[in-house]
Amino acid sequence: GWQVSMKSGSLSYILPCNRLPVQLMSQVRVYTSSGQKKDHGSEDTNGSAHEETLHKVETGRQDTTNAGQKQSSPKQPIQVKVKAVLKKREYGPKYTQNNFITGVRAINEFCLKSSDLDQLRKIKRRSPHDDTETFTVYLRSDVEAKSLEVWGSPEALARERKRRKEAEIKYRENLFRNQRLLWEYKEFFGNTKPRSSTAAMFFKGPGKVVMVAICINGLNFFFKLLAWVYTGSASMFSEAIHSLADTCNQALLALGISQSARTPDPTHPYGFTNMRYIASLISGVGIFMMGAGLSWYHGIIGLLHPHPVESLLWAYCILAGSLVSEGATLLVAINEIRRSARAKGLSFYQYVVQSRDPSTNVVLLEDAAAVLSVAVAATCMGLTSLTGNPYYDSVGSLGVGTLLGTVSAFLIYTNTEALLGRSIEPEQLQRLTELLESDPVVRAIHDVKATDMGMSKVRFKAEVDFDGRVVTRSYLEKQDIEQLLQEIQQVKTLEELEAFMLKHGENIIDTLGAEVDRLEKDLKQRNPDVRHVDLEIL
């Protein structure tokens, strides 16, 4: 596309432009190594001379109407547009000294006292906790300087840290002795402190159901054991073992209920709610091992080595009393589950299958199995007394064991699913998603996860794509626009522009954090089951 013309030592370059033909004329002078001037068209026949070329370029225009006539134009300065770009800043350890640090961390990490922080600059920042709006932080550089002022040198500070670390390790080694002292102090000041609310949990709700079941099953075990000793019936032995397993398992449920009421601590920040599911899971394993296992064992032994059964009159009376008591406990559990399911807007079946309240579910299934096993045992004992064949009694023991095995398998499955962290219902998840998407500050949400943590506690997590324009408008609504315009008009240099953007950019980021807190608060208020919300900025 380049057009080249040679004329009297001039090299003309014609740019292939259909709008503005431009001609650049270059006069080329060639010098030999000896300094003699040579013509452009001549050739160097020796082939050993070194040439140095000097170019003098003059710009001009070519008249489009007369191609043969060349007119030279005066020289014009070259205009170059340079894009103003801020120099990339290298952020090193010195820049991070502007980071903030809380008072608790300053005292623990730099071995300071609370009085040492009174002289430092205090900065109010937005609090990450729901119960407080703002909290006080300090500049890390100020805290480091104060620690050097207090301890004299970094080596002295390091020695103090080492000493405190050793003291902490020693304290942990003597933790048992410290706990004994705390227990003694607790007993000494027990009359002046308010009564714990843990005991009140066993007078209502699932705690009441469990305590009633413990008392009734304990009495049933005692009377069934006497009946088995008197009659030698395999079915009665299975019933006694069944009542013993129910009593132990429900005592374990009571322990799980009391432990689940503990307040969260740094080691367990989400609390101890899952203790109910753990206790119910162990209870299911106990039913399988003690109830089903021993019943199968005793039934198989009865089939292999049958022996005659004594009078079953007392056994029938005890079974009748057990049927009444177990039925009463079953009705208590059914009423509690109906009330809880109605409060959650679920059906009775959904509430039981989803294991919303594991303690009540265990009592319900155990008592239902107890009522059915009493009927099975009474039927098989009746057949044995009518026919005189002890095999019916052994078959009844196997039937009770199979029933207990089925109940234990269901409990193990449902509690395992709950401990693994299953998702909430799709309808509830859809409501939470629509609530977020209806907010003007949210453009879209992605990777939504809502996990049922147990006992009507939900943890919600989502990646949120925020609308920066809405966030910026929310920030501008809180500013003095006239003052902001004056600040903009005073910006003349790149340094002033950078300072202006850094100032308002940090404030806009704080506004974005406030919007995240607002969304989390709205989710918790409109959905009481949502206890923990994690919104990540996309």
Side-chain angles (χ1 to χ4, degrees):
W2 292 90
Q3 299 178 6
V4 181
S5 62
M6 305 292 296
K7 182 177 180 182
S8 65
S10 297
L11 181 62
S12 300
Y13 296 94
I14 306 299
L15 293 175
C17 180
N18 57 356
R19 294 183 180 178
L20 181 62
V22 180
Q23 181 183 17
L24 299 179
M25 296 186 298
S26 301
Q27 295 181 355
V28 182
R29 295 180 181 179
V30 182
Y31 293 85
T32 62
S33 59
S34 61
Q36 297 179 357
K37 181 178 178 180
K38 296 184 64 177
D39 185 69
H40 178 77
S42 62
E43 297 180 356
D44 189 0
T45 57
N46 297 329
S48 61
H50 300 282
E51 298 180 359
E52 298 178 356
T53 305
L54 300 176
H55 298 276
K56 295 182 179 180
V57 181
E58 297 179 355
T59 61
R61 294 174 178 262
Q62 181 184 10
D63 190 4
T64 57
T65 60
N66 189 359
Q69 183 181 3
K70 298 183 177 62
Q71 298 179 356
S72 61
S73 62
K75 295 182 179 180
Q76 297 179 356
I78 301 176
Q79 297 181 358
V80 180
K81 292 184 178 180
V82 180
K83 184 179 180 180
V85 180
L86 288 176
K87 183 180 179 181
K88 186 177 180 180
R89 187 185 297 270
E90 297 293 337
Y91 297 103
K94 184 178 180 180
Y95 186 83
T96 58
Q97 291 180 356
N98 294 325
N99 290 355
F100 298 138
I101 186 173
T102 60
V104 176
R105 287 188 59 192
I107 293 174
N108 294 333
E109 296 181 12
F110 293 92
C111 305
L112 298 175
K113 299 179 181 178
S114 58
S115 58
D116 297 331
L117 303 179
D118 295 338
Q119 304 173 0
L120 303 182
R121 289 176 290 179
K122 299 179 178 62
I123 302 172
K124 294 291 185 180
R125 301 294 294 175
R126 182 174 49 84
S127 175
H129 308 289
D130 296 336
D131 54 350
T132 56
E133 295 183 357
T134 60
F135 73 122
T136 304
V137 295
Y138 305 87
L139 285 175
R140 190 179 185 89
S141 57
D142 293 348
V143 175
E144 291 178 351
K146 187 64 178 180
S147 65
L148 293 179
E149 177 185 345
V150 172
W151 297 104
S153 64
E155 292 77 12
L157 177 60
R159 288 194 298 269
E160 178 63 19
R161 287 175 176 172
K162 183 178 179 181
R163 186 191 67 81
R164 294 192 179 190
K165 187 67 176 179
E166 293 175 351
E168 182 181 358
I169 294 175
K170 185 177 180 181
Y171 171 78
R172 290 181 179 179
E173 292 175 352
N174 299 327
L175 184 61
F176 180 71
R177 180 176 60 85
N178 295 332
Q179 287 179 344
R180 286 186 57 189
L181 292 175
L182 291 174
W183 181 256
E184 292 177 1
Y185 290 147
K186 184 177 180 180
E187 289 184 348
F188 180 75
F189 293 106
N191 295 330
T192 59
K193 288 186 177 182
R195 192 181 187 91
S196 175
S197 60
T198 304
M201 298 179 60
F202 296 102
F203 294 98
K204 60 181 181 179
K208 176 182 177 181
V209 176
V210 171
M211 293 305 296
V212 170
I214 289 176
C215 297
I216 292 179
N217 285 319
L219 292 175
N220 288 338
F221 165 70
F222 177 74
F223 288 113
K224 288 178 181 179
L225 184 65
L226 292 180
W228 170 72
V229 172
Y230 179 74
T231 62
S233 170
S235 298
M236 186 56 65
F237 174 80
S238 298
E239 280 298 307
I241 294 299
H242 182 189
S243 297
L244 176 61
D246 289 350
T247 304
C248 296
N249 291 330
Q250 285 152 8
L252 185 62
L253 294 179
L255 178 62
I257 291 175
S258 63
Q259 292 295 315
S260 65
R262 295 170 58 187
T263 56
D265 55 23
T267 308
H268 304 86
Y270 290 105
F272 300 85
T273 306
N274 285 338
M275 281 300 300
R276 293 196 182 190
Y277 293 96
I278 295 174
S280 300
L281 178 62
I282 299 174
S283 176
V285 175
I287 293 174
F288 184 81
M289 297 295 295
M290 293 181 60
L294 289 178
S295 297
W296 285 332
Y297 171 78
H298 205 75
I300 292 173
I301 293 298
L303 291 175
L304 296 178
H305 307 285
H307 61 277
V309 180
E310 301 295 333
S311 176
L312 300 177
L313 178 61
W314 287 104
Y316 290 141
C317 295
I318 293 174
L319 284 178
S322 177
L323 181 62
V324 173
S325 60
E326 296 285 359
T329 309
L330 179 61
L331 290 178
V332 173
I334 290 175
N335 292 332
E336 178 62 26
I337 290 179
R338 282 180 176 175
R339 185 185 63 82
S340 301
R342 192 181 305 111
K344 298 296 180 182
L346 300 174
S347 64
F348 185 89
Y349 175 77
Q350 290 177 336
Y351 193 88
V352 173
V353 172
Q354 295 177 9
S355 190
R356 294 282 180 171
D357 186 357
S359 303
T360 309
N361 279 358
V362 171
V363 175
L364 171 71
L365 295 176
E366 285 182 348
D367 290 338
V371 172
L372 293 176
S373 62
V374 167
V376 172
T379 302
C380 293
M381 290 170 59
L383 292 175
T384 299
S385 62
L386 291 176
T387 61
N389 188 354
Y391 287 106
Y392 290 108
D393 188 56
S394 300
V395 171
S397 180
L398 293 176
V400 172
T402 302
L403 185 61
L404 294 177
T406 304
V407 171
S408 64
F410 179 80
L411 291 175
I412 292 172
Y413 172 77
T414 54
N415 288 283
T416 302
E417 286 291 316
L419 289 173
L420 288 176
R422 60 193 172 193
S423 178
I424 62 176
E425 292 297 317
E427 294 80 8
Q428 186 179 5
L429 182 60
Q430 182 67 23
R431 289 197 301 268
L432 296 176
T433 303
E434 292 176 353
L435 177 61
L436 280 179
E437 290 180 338
S438 62
D439 196 280
V441 79
V442 177
R443 279 181 172 173
I445 59 174
H446 310 277
D447 193 21
V448 180
K449 297 177 182 177
T451 306
D452 187 356
M453 301 176 60
M455 300 305 299
S456 301
K457 293 184 179 180
V458 176
R459 181 180 180 182
F460 182 83
K461 177 260 179 189
E463 301 274 353
V464 183
D465 185 3
F466 286 91
D467 192 340
R469 299 168 299 178
V470 178
V471 175
T472 305
R473 289 192 186 99
S474 177
Y475 169 70
L476 293 177
E477 290 173 357
K478 303 175 184 177
Q479 304 301 315
D480 187 351
I481 301 299
E482 294 182 356
Q483 182 181 357
L484 189 61
L485 288 175
Q486 293 177 1
E487 293 181 7
I488 295 174
Q489 293 172 357
Q490 293 174 359
V491 174
K492 303 298 182 182
T493 63
L494 293 178
E495 290 76 10
E496 293 177 352
L497 176 62
E498 180 182 6
F500 176 82
M501 294 299 297
L502 291 177
K503 171 187 174 182
H504 293 281
E506 183 177 4
N507 294 336
I508 290 176
I509 294 299
D510 291 339
T511 304
L512 177 59
E515 293 292 335
V516 172
D517 292 342
R518 179 182 63 81
L519 290 176
E520 293 179 350
K521 188 175 181 180
D522 289 345
L523 282 176
K524 293 179 181 179
Q525 287 181 348
R526 299 187 184 186
N527 300 272
D529 292 346
V530 179
R531 303 294 180 88
H532 307 282
V533 181
D534 300 324
L535 298 181
E536 300 180 6
I537 301 174
L538 186 60

